[in-house]
Amino acid sequence: AAIETANHYTIDLDEGLLEEITQIVEYPTAFLGKFDAKYLQLPEVVLITSMREHQRYFYVRNQTGALEPHFVAVRNGNDQYLDNVRAGNEKVLVARLEDALFFVHEDKEKSIDDYVKKLEKVTFHAEIGTMTEKTRRVGEIARYLHELWQVNGTVDPSQVTITDAQIDRAAQIYKFDLVTGMVDEFSELQGIIGELYALEAGEDPAVAAAIREHYLPTGADGELPSTPLGRLM
């Protein structure tokens, strides 16, 4: 709170992260670290995941809500030699962000259909085939359920009917990000990265959302899919 007030920042005190840090330190000393602003070109979810999930840092926003190239970390100890501790934490984070930047640039050199093609060589299950064969089965099941349930969209006030073309495209590409460099490095972002890449590639927003939402819910109390195609997938 002192760091937040002194710098006019907004720091999201994620309750889960706060509880975890509380349990693993005996003498907590919070400090502010920084990283190069060039990494802000990364998708926000990648930055937050790198800080929160991998390094147990709190991310920092400015008064407009935009991410700042700073983080708050907690040292188990007093404030002696804190500059050395800060430098070490910054070095570790920058190494991870540098990897992420590399993978984003490398991933964008290929098209979504290039990644879909690679799924032909990924085994889903030894006895029932590849990921490509799985996606084909999912497409057939989704079409059947669409016809059976007559699933209509409720994203906006007008009823938007899901089309067969949307179902087919979603089924074809909904697993493509599994073979990207970003998901290989940040496996917890599968689906999320797929949606981002799909939107950047000009895919139908409904199809892009379904890539992320087909994983939902991720737990008993987890978020449910909010779009018709996402629910169908």
Side-chain angles (χ1 to χ4, degrees), residues 9 35 40 51 60-62 66-71:
Y9 291 148
F35 55 89
L40 293 176
M51 289 185 274
V60 173
R61 296 188 186 275
N62 58 31
L67 280 180
E68 283 283 312
H70 293 90
F71 62 87

Side-chain angles (χ1 to χ4, degrees), residues 3 10 57 65 68 87 94 108 119 135 140 142 167 173 192 204 225:
I3 291 171
T10 298
Y57 300 161
E68 283 283 312
V94 165
K108 290 182 179 179
L119 292 176
T135 62
E140 292 176 7
I167 295 171
I173 72 172
I192 297 171
D204 185 325

Side-chain angles (χ1 to χ4, degrees), residues 28-95:
T29 299
F31 61 91
L32 186 66
K34 67 181 186 300
F35 55 89
D36 196 303
K38 73 176 183 179
Y39 297 113
L40 293 176
Q41 66 182 282
L42 286 166
E44 183 175 289
V45 67
V46 174
L47 284 167
I48 291 175
T49 298
S50 297
M51 289 185 274
R52 182 180 62 198
E53 305 296 337
H54 295 173
Q55 303 302 135
R56 298 189 180 95
Y57 300 161
F58 296 97
Y59 58 91
V60 173
R61 296 188 186 275
N62 58 31
Q63 294 299 304
T64 66
L67 280 180
E68 283 283 312
H70 293 90
F71 62 87
V72 173
V74 179
R75 175 194 190 181
N76 185 30
N78 58 30
D79 60 1
Q80 291 185 329
Y81 306 106
L82 196 57
D83 286 342
N84 290 340
V85 176
R86 179 183 295 106
N89 278 265
E90 291 172 349
K91 183 177 181 180
V92 172
L93 177 61
V94 165

